[in-house]
Amino acid sequence: MGKAALVCSGCGKGAMWQNRYFCPACGSHLEVRYAYDEMDARQIREELENARSFWDYRSLLPVPEPKAEITLGEGNTPLLKSARLGGQLDVDLYFKDETRNPTGAFKDRPNAVGISVAKSMGIRTVTIASTGNGAASLAAYAARDGMDCYVFVPYTTPAPKVAQASVYGAQIVRVKGDYSKAYQLALAAAQNFHWGNLTSTYLNPFTLEGDKTIAYEIFFQMNRQTPDWIVVPLGAGAMLTGIYKGFQELRLFGLTDKLPRMIGVQADGCAPIIRAFERDESSVQAWEQPQTVAGGICDPLDGYTEDGAWTLRSMRASGGCGVMVTDQEIMQALRQLAQKEAVFCEPASAASQAAVCKLVQKGIIKAKETVVDIITGHGLKDIECVMTTQKSVDAIEPDLKALCEKYKIT
Ligand SMILES: *Cc1c(COP(=O)(O)O)cnc(C)c1O
């Protein structure tokens, strides 16, 4: 790790390097700041250029010693050039396929960093409030190192995600109410019992550093190009801010002059951040009665709306924008991604492709521009949502005649 400190995102005061989530002076979130000017820029450039795996970025990750690193081979996911959808939309479209992470979602990046920092602090029990992917992911990393793990999920979380977390041996806490209720309970438990809290909002200052690595990978996978747009489905939006921070670092170290414009996407049944963007507001209001097929991004931000405001600042600073998409648009994009690109993702992830279609139509994304969709989670994670809409297929007698009759093959 390069020299780094915890600094308050609100008042700018420094805070002790410890398992702490809020500034002791003003109560705002903390963030990791590196002493960039004390780093050897040429050496960092070389490290970034020559990186072969996630932990090769360790100079810009907050884990104090390699001994503490807990890894399952996260990151280093493919950047797929679009086979068809980009051509149809006349844009240069790519998919950063985060479904290839060890537990099937990008959450392995923030969790690998967060749990490794926790380990370096001597913590042996970790927790997370999650809409499912974060839970399954943390459960895996905790199992890898023999830690205890409690995951807090809204009771509506899809069964496959809960089962995945459970198989890794985590204690499953299903919470009545929406994601925000799970968030509050995990926070109270972590503070009471001194657990490491890896909830993937801006709460834990270390996890966002794992999200950053998506930016480094994209940049080198595109032969040192910064895309014009990066499209990100938003929960609280730490991933979006993390990716943007990664590009800011690439610029700082002299690898590029250009920063991408960040597009945040939410479902119109739970869109607190996009609503504020559209109203040109700088603060965010919690969403009442969230309801969407995109469970992975269904975060009403109730009790921590300042997280949404942080994401808004990142989107605006980048010259980006925010988009709402309907559940119908999401499911259509999900099927298109599977059928035209062979990328099978969960609804939350398909929201980004739905947004690209919308923004091209609106003329915000222009012809030939370079666009990267972050495909955040695997389709098998929420398999029920495609099973219920698939017509059941009748079985046939095992002979060619029956086959040809039913499928009209001639
Ligand atoms: C967590 C998650 C997101 C949103 O990430 P945030 O950093 O919370 O904004 C998007 N897609 C999927 C599949 C997720 O699991």
Side-chain angles (χ1 to χ4, degrees):
M1 157 172 117
K3 199 171 161 199
L6 283 181
V7 176
C8 175
S9 64
C11 69
K13 286 211 177 82
M16 295 270 288
W17 189 266
Q18 58 185 30
N19 182 34
R20 167 172 273 167
Y21 308 116
F22 298 104
C23 169
C26 78
S28 297
H29 285 306
L30 303 173
E31 62 183 312
V32 177
R33 294 233 182 110
Y34 299 85
Y36 296 122
D37 46 1
E38 292 175 33
M39 293 180 178
D40 179 344
R42 213 189 56 180
Q43 192 190 326
I44 298 279
R45 274 200 299 275
E46 272 171 23
E47 279 179 28
L48 289 168
E49 282 161 1
N50 297 324
R52 290 273 169 275
S53 75
F54 187 88
W55 291 100
D56 290 340
Y57 300 121
R58 61 170 64 81
S59 296
L60 293 170
L61 295 175
V63 183
E65 51 200 288
K67 265 206 331 272
E69 290 165 9
I70 303 174
T71 180
L72 291 168
E74 53 285 335
N76 216 357
T77 58
L79 182 74
L80 304 171
K81 187 167 170 59
S82 165
R84 289 182 189 79
L85 295 176
Q88 287 172 11
L89 296 166
D90 198 21
V91 293
D92 191 17
L93 182 62
Y94 296 82
F95 307 106
K96 182 64 172 159
D97 188 2
E98 290 295 298
T99 72
R100 311 283 191 99
N101 276 294
T103 72
F106 83 95
K107 293 290 195 308
D108 293 336
R109 296 178 191 262
N111 279 337
V113 171
I115 197 171
S116 299
V117 174
K119 179 178 180 171
S120 75
M121 293 173 173
I123 291 168
R124 297 304 300 166
T125 303
V126 287
T127 191
I128 189 168
S130 160
T131 54
N133 289 329
S137 169
L138 187 63
Y141 284 84
R144 178 79 185 177
D145 206 60
M147 289 194 198
D148 290 328
C149 180
Y150 290 81
V151 304
F152 293 75
V153 294
Y155 71 111
T156 51
T157 303
K161 292 183 183 178
V162 179
Q164 193 186 4
S166 172
V167 161
Y168 289 121
Q171 295 287 341
I172 309 293
V173 187
R174 285 177 77 217
V175 183
K176 293 181 181 164
D178 57 36
Y179 173 79
S180 294
K181 299 287 187 294
Y183 173 101
Q184 303 293 357
L185 188 59
L187 181 59
Q191 285 176 337
N192 254 279
F193 311 122
H194 308 287
W195 297 342
N197 189 345
L198 279 88
T199 296
S200 78
T201 56
Y202 293 88
L203 188 65
N204 181 313
F206 305 109
T207 52
L208 184 147
E209 303 299 306
D211 294 323
K212 259 177 10 183
T213 55
I214 295 177
Y216 309 153
E217 290 177 19
I218 290 174
F219 180 75
F220 289 104
Q221 285 171 320
M222 297 187 76
N223 293 321
R224 301 168 168 261
Q225 299 289 320
T226 300
D228 297 310
W229 303 94
I230 296 187
V231 194
V232 187
L234 303 179
M239 176 183 26
L240 182 143
T241 295
I243 294 172
Y244 193 55
K245 182 172 182 180
F247 276 101
Q248 287 174 306
E249 289 177 338
L250 291 170
R251 185 173 67 169
L252 194 92
F253 288 110
L255 284 156
T256 178
D257 303 327
K258 178 173 163 184
L259 294 175
R261 301 169 76 178
M262 305 298 297
I263 299 172
V265 189
Q266 296 192 297
D268 68 356
C270 183
I273 300 173
I274 310 306
R275 178 173 62 190
F277 179 85
E278 288 179 349
R279 292 180 181 168
D280 224 6
E281 289 165 353
S282 56
S283 64
V284 172
Q285 259 71 56
W287 194 269
E288 278 165 27
Q289 298 183 336
Q291 176 68 44
T292 167
V293 68
I297 50 171
C298 190
D299 184 347
L301 300 176
D302 188 9
Y304 46 97
T305 53
E306 66 282 3
D307 286 51
W310 190 341
T311 303
L312 265 182
R313 288 197 297 276
S314 302
M315 280 158 53
R316 289 193 175 121
S318 76
C321 64
V323 202
M324 278 185 213
V325 291
T326 65
D327 279 5
Q328 202 190 347
E329 289 166 332
I330 288 172
M331 291 310 292
Q332 193 185 347
L334 185 152
R335 285 172 201 288
Q336 284 200 332
L337 283 168
Q339 293 168 16
K340 311 266 186 214
E341 305 287 354
V343 170
F344 178 28
C345 64
E346 63 174 276
S349 316
S352 54
Q353 179 56 25
V356 171
C357 296
K358 216 164 202 171
L359 292 171
V360 168
Q361 268 166 20
K362 283 189 174 174
I364 294 175
I365 296 177
K366 305 232 160 42
K368 314 288 183 227
E369 285 188 318
T370 318
V371 182
V372 178
D373 269 359
I374 311 296
I375 305 294
T376 48
H378 203 287
L380 293 172
K381 294 280 205 163
D382 195 357
I383 190 73
E384 283 162 1
C385 81
V386 281
M387 281 162 63
T388 53
T389 52
Q390 216 78 309
K391 286 198 204 86
S392 61
V393 179
D394 293 332
I396 59 165
E397 292 304 323
D399 60 57
L400 269 179
K401 188 166 159 278
L403 173 73
C404 292
E405 266 171 21
K406 179 159 165 65
Y407 293 93
K408 306 198 169 38
I409 304 171
T410 49

